[in-house]
Amino acid sequence: MSTVKKLVRESHSIAKSKGWWEGKRNDGELIALMHSELSEALEAMRNHGKIEDIAEELADCCIRIFDFCGARKIDLQKAIKAKLKKNRLRPYRHGNKKF
């Protein structure tokens, strides 16, 4: 099984090899590209797309996140573990939130 760290390294390595990191990249634009992949997943759902199509768009979002973390030296695996620990300690529905 791949670790998040390995996926971050591989995603960033592929993006660099395909020329996506030649020159400076704007963080806001990179976040917007992550968001656009989620929008594409939503569009696939709205169009009654196959689960594979939805999964591919979600994978694209993860890959963009991994690539960003690789470029910006963000330890996403550590952050995920810390966030899961924090979530385990939260109250049920975080104090009656609806969503």
Side-chain angles (χ1 to χ4, degrees):
M1 185 163 104
S2 293
T3 66
V4 173
K5 286 184 182 195
K6 287 180 184 176
L7 294 169
V8 165
R9 276 194 305 269
E10 184 175 6
S11 296
H12 186 56
S13 176
I14 290 170
K16 284 191 329 187
S17 76
K18 300 301 177 182
W20 293 112
W21 287 96
E22 291 177 5
K24 226 174 175 181
R25 298 200 69 189
N26 176 287
D27 287 348
E29 291 173 7
L30 294 169
I31 297 290
L33 288 168
M34 296 171 206
H35 184 274
S36 73
E37 298 298 349
L38 291 174
S39 295
E40 290 175 16
L42 178 59
E43 189 65 22
M45 290 172 117
R46 286 181 174 162
N47 291 331
H48 307 289
K50 295 179 280 183
I51 197 73
E52 294 85 5
D53 298 333
I54 298 163
E56 183 174 345
E57 298 304 338
L58 294 173
D60 283 341
C61 183
C62 292
I63 289 166
R64 287 197 181 274
I65 292 168
F66 297 155
D67 177 34
F68 178 83
C69 290
R72 299 299 185 251
K73 309 291 187 244
I74 296 169
D75 189 339
L76 186 61
Q77 183 166 296
K78 181 179 175 183
I80 289 170
K81 287 179 179 181
K83 184 62 176 174
L84 288 172
K85 182 178 180 180
K86 182 178 179 178
N87 286 347
R88 271 188 224 100
L89 299 173
R90 287 183 161 179
Y92 182 77
R93 295 188 67 141
H94 306 264
N96 265 345
K97 287 184 180 178
K98 295 196 183 230
F99 296 101

